[in-house]
Amino acid sequence: MSISKVNIDVDRHWDYPAQMATVGVIVSTLPASCITIIVDGVFYQNCGGIYYAPRYDSRNIVYEVALPLSGLEPEDLIEDSIAFIFILKQEIFIMPIVNRLAAEFVGTLWLVLGGCGSAVLAASFPSSDPTNPFGIAFVGVSLAFGLTVLTMAYAIGHISGCHLNPAVSVGLWAGGRFPAADLVPYIIAQVLGGIAGAAIIYLIATGKPGFELGGFAANGFGEHSPGQYGLNAALICEIVMTFMFLIVILGSTHKNTPTGFAPIAIGLCLTLIHLISIPVTNTSVNPARSTSQAIFVGGWALQQLWLFWVAPIVGAALAGFFHRWMANDQPTA
């Protein structure tokens, strides 16, 4: 994996929390989720454990990075010691776009394979025997979707930010966390990854004699809703569920929240969303997931696909703007 090194300039301020000094300035077009800081051989992904203050200068994201000074008082340090500590021992790397897109492709593939795969292959297994205890039903499918996001957040979050969802990318952009220039590449990678995941499900499912495609875990409304919910109900449900999903994502990944726990909150939130909304639309909140299944089902699924792009993106954008205002954040992307 090729990565580019970013040189930093030493600066020094004491207007940060106690015992923290500004040790460098990074100028980047990438969000914080794509920056890894290494101090004394210790990796700090997403600036975890390091105080950083991102700001926006109209074109680039500027990160002032500060490291706790282990109880040292400002007068105990001289410029030479700061230079030694932070120039000789600190390296900052930026993840190239190709690596981030590969991570989004693999992550979205896993989301569709794990979530939709559980619905197609395991939800009512075996369908001919209703007394069989192994079918996972709605609860199992809901948990499967949450687990795919939780596991991938830990697996690729340090590479791409683990969006896995065009609506999430749009919501992070609206929240000032993601550059607009990366939106289209991310969305393309996510849709292609979702289609690849659906193709794997199809190859596995068609290996069973007598397999019928059916709904193939596609999203729908009206007669194609599991609970026969109409267009208005589906639209409201998808907007509100995606709005809340992004509120949890933006809040749990905020720089002022404890690090390392965001994947758990996000995975559980997606599980809860599915528990609420599977009967309404089969749960989308993700245009890439909806597109991947609709391509294989065709017909009605493609005709209704527009709702599962419009509603999640509207809900995500509203959440991004709202959370930026609520948290009083300045945009960093």
Side-chain angles (χ1 to χ4, degrees):
M1 179 184 299
S2 62
I3 50 181
S4 57
K5 181 177 178 179
V6 177
N7 294 322
I8 62 173
D9 297 321
V10 173
D11 193 4
R12 186 177 183 183
H13 297 296
W14 294 102
D15 54 354
Y16 290 104
Q19 312 310 325
M20 305 191 82
T22 301
V23 302
V25 175
I26 316 163
V27 179
S28 169
T29 57
L30 299 180
S33 61
C34 304
I35 294 178
T36 297
I37 298 176
I38 309 172
V39 180
D40 250 347
V42 179
F43 285 76
Y44 295 91
Q45 182 58 45
N46 302 346
C47 300
I50 296 180
Y51 180 88
Y52 70 101
R55 62 181 187 270
Y56 192 56
D57 70 353
S58 78
R59 289 189 59 192
N60 296 319
I61 310 165
V62 179
Y63 299 96
E64 289 186 332
V65 182
L67 184 73
L69 298 179
S70 303
L72 293 176
E73 297 297 330
E75 56 269 20
D76 294 334
L77 294 171
I78 58 175
E79 293 297 331
D80 288 344
S81 67
I82 292 180
F84 173 78
I85 293 171
F86 299 119
I87 295 300
L88 297 184
K89 297 186 179 181
Q90 178 169 301
E91 295 176 298
I92 298 175
F93 297 101
I94 293 181
M95 194 67 65
I97 186 68
V98 66
N99 300 79
R100 291 184 283 138
L101 296 182
E104 287 296 303
F105 177 91
V106 171
T108 313
L109 182 156
W110 180 237
L111 182 145
V112 170
L113 180 58
C116 296
S118 69
V120 172
L121 303 173
S124 58
F125 174 84
S127 58
S128 60
D129 182 6
T131 64
N132 189 286
F134 297 111
I136 62 174
F138 281 2
V139 174
V141 173
S142 300
L143 186 60
F145 271 101
L147 288 173
T148 61
V149 171
L150 189 155
T151 52
M152 272 296 125
Y154 283 116
I156 66 169
H158 62 290
I159 300 173
S160 68
C162 191
H163 298 187
L164 317 185
N165 182 340
V168 170
S169 297
V170 170
L172 291 173
W173 163 78
R177 307 272 193 91
F178 191 66
D182 288 349
L183 274 176
V184 172
Y186 262 57
I187 290 171
I188 292 173
Q190 291 156 1
V191 171
L192 292 177
I195 293 171
I200 294 172
I201 298 171
Y202 182 82
L203 290 173
I204 295 171
T206 54
K208 178 182 178 180
F211 169 76
E212 295 181 2
L213 187 65
F216 201 58
N219 300 114
F221 54 86
E223 64 179 313
H224 303 293
S225 158
Q228 306 293 297
Y229 287 86
L231 171 61
N232 289 340
L235 188 65
I236 294 170
C237 182
E238 288 292 328
I239 290 175
V240 172
M241 293 299 129
T242 313
F243 180 94
M244 296 309 302
F245 190 35
L246 264 294
I247 290 295
V248 171
I249 291 172
L250 289 162
S252 63
T253 57
H254 194 274
K255 64 180 182 291
N256 293 333
T257 58
T259 60
F261 298 100
I264 299 172
I266 295 167
L268 289 176
C269 179
L270 189 60
T271 297
L272 176 58
I273 286 170
H274 279 78
L275 288 172
I276 296 169
S277 61
I278 283 179
V280 183
T281 61
N282 233 6
T283 308
S284 172
V285 302
N286 185 338
R289 168 259 189 271
S290 297
T291 301
S292 65
Q293 306 311 114
I295 286 175
F296 283 86
V297 174
W300 66 265
L302 289 174
Q303 293 168 9
Q304 297 188 355
L305 182 59
W306 66 270
L307 184 144
F308 302 105
W309 276 88
V310 172
I313 287 176
V314 168
L318 290 174
F321 292 124
F322 175 76
H323 188 275
R324 186 196 296 185
W325 169 81
M326 180 174 65
N328 198 25
D329 284 341
Q330 296 299 314
T332 62

